[in-house]
Amino acid sequence: MTNEPSTLLRCLVADDEPPARDELVWVLSRIPGVEVVGAAASAAETVHLVQSTAPDAIFLDIHMPGAHGLDLCQTLRQLPHAPAVVLVTAYSQFAVAAFATEAVDYVLKPFAEERIAQAVARIRARRGTPTSTPDALGRILAALEATRQEICRSGARVPVESGGRILLLAPQEILFCRCADKRIIIHDRDGAYPAYGAVSLDRLETQLTPYGFFRAHRTFLVNLQHVRAYSPWEGGRYVLVMDDEAKTEITVSRLQAQEFKRRLQVLT
């Protein structure tokens, strides 16, 4: 009989978005020696599956119904056989906070298969081997920086309609995006333009979140780098003042107020 850990890595996936959850399950299932033992869509389901399946590792989205991913990490750490945690998210600003929860890795969406394989390799290297705090922080920040550089090299642009042409806006040029009359309108310092093609605010949120955008309201996506001021408002909401010439005011919904405060702490 041997006390060496099994070479089979049993993984759980937790993400509230079915396409993202299915993709991660598929990517993990293609890695030799990995078995996906379940997939959860909420915080409560995640805890239940961790307790019932006892996975070696969990690939966890930051935003989960019922609890923030970082809070869920703290809950999982209290379990008798706590799994290794890899946070998989579109939000880059939680990397250092993730380190405090002893997460093994921090993967930004959209991810490549190779990036998930790298996270699996880190879990395997860590199993049964204590990792020092500085080394863990260094790995998380290095992975984050590599992903940021990859995003920058991609030269992402948002196409909009302007004077019969297709104008390409860099994310940093965009102040905010809004939904109006079933169309998406993109605002920069020079004006407002209809988004080109069949695009939704949900899709723009996924694409632009790594660039510092925040879903302030169901109908507004805001570039936090262009928020000039904010103030509390009735009903637990906030009002943002943008740094454009018109000093446009945008309301942060009550449901998004807590997340706005989290994001603001990182920026300040």
Side-chain angles (χ1 to χ4, degrees):
M1 185 152 216
T2 177
N3 292 324
E4 293 182 2
S6 169
T7 57
L8 179 66
L9 188 69
R10 303 172 70 255
C11 296
L12 177 69
V13 172
D15 196 310
D16 64 321
E17 297 182 355
R21 189 169 63 245
D22 293 345
E23 180 182 12
L24 191 48
V25 168
W26 182 79
V27 170
L28 284 169
S29 66
R30 287 166 51 87
I31 300 175
V34 171
E35 177 188 4
V36 179
V37 297
S42 68
E45 187 179 6
T46 298
V47 174
H48 171 72
L49 284 177
V50 168
Q51 292 174 326
S52 63
T53 65
D56 300 310
I58 176 172
F59 285 73
L60 176 66
D61 185 25
I62 283 282
H63 290 280
M64 293 285 289
H68 192 274
L70 296 179
D71 296 331
L72 190 53
C73 282
Q74 300 290 0
T75 299
L76 295 176
R77 285 177 61 189
Q78 307 306 315
L79 298 177
H81 302 287
V85 176
V86 173
L87 288 168
V88 184
T89 177
Y91 298 87
S92 61
Q93 69 273 13
F94 296 113
V96 175
F99 156 71
T101 69
E102 299 183 6
V104 175
D105 206 345
Y106 192 95
V107 178
L108 281 180
K109 299 176 182 177
F111 54 77
E113 290 185 47
E114 292 80 3
R115 185 66 184 86
I116 299 300
Q118 183 183 35
V120 167
R122 286 176 175 167
I123 295 169
R124 284 175 169 154
R126 177 169 171 169
R127 292 180 70 188
T129 305
T131 303
S132 66
T133 293
D135 288 346
L137 176 60
R139 285 200 306 272
I140 291 172
L141 295 181
L144 175 61
E145 181 59 27
T147 307
R148 280 179 171 163
Q149 290 179 5
E150 183 178 348
I151 290 174
C152 291
R153 287 195 299 268
S154 68
R157 295 291 186 272
V158 176
V160 298
E161 300 175 11
S162 177
R165 295 181 177 180
I166 306 303
L167 180 64
L168 300 176
L169 298 180
Q172 60 267 26
E173 296 179 274
I174 299 172
L175 303 179
F176 60 91
C177 313
R178 63 185 175 90
C179 183
D181 298 325
K182 298 182 179 180
R183 293 214 67 179
I184 304 300
I185 308 300
I186 312 292
H187 292 252
D188 69 2
R189 294 194 182 280
D190 297 323
Y193 316 90
Y196 175 75
V199 63
S200 67
L201 210 58
D202 289 342
R203 182 177 177 186
L204 280 175
E205 181 183 11
T206 299
Q207 294 174 332
L208 295 176
T209 293
Y211 297 91
F213 281 71
F214 169 69
R215 188 70 171 266
H217 188 274
R218 180 173 55 84
T219 58
F220 275 93
L221 182 63
V222 175
N223 187 342
L224 289 176
Q225 299 299 328
H226 291 290
V227 174
R228 182 183 183 89
Y230 78 97
S231 59
W233 200 37
E234 60 184 16
R237 294 174 289 177
Y238 290 93
V239 174
L240 308 183
V241 181
M242 306 305 294
D243 64 2
D244 57 344
E245 187 175 350
K247 294 183 173 59
T248 302
E249 295 187 354
I250 297 174
T251 301
V252 177
S253 71
R254 180 177 58 83
L255 293 176
Q256 290 292 82
Q258 182 177 2
E259 179 60 24
F260 170 68
K261 288 188 290 185
R262 287 182 184 270
R263 298 287 298 272
L264 191 69
Q265 287 174 358
V266 174
L267 291 176
T268 55

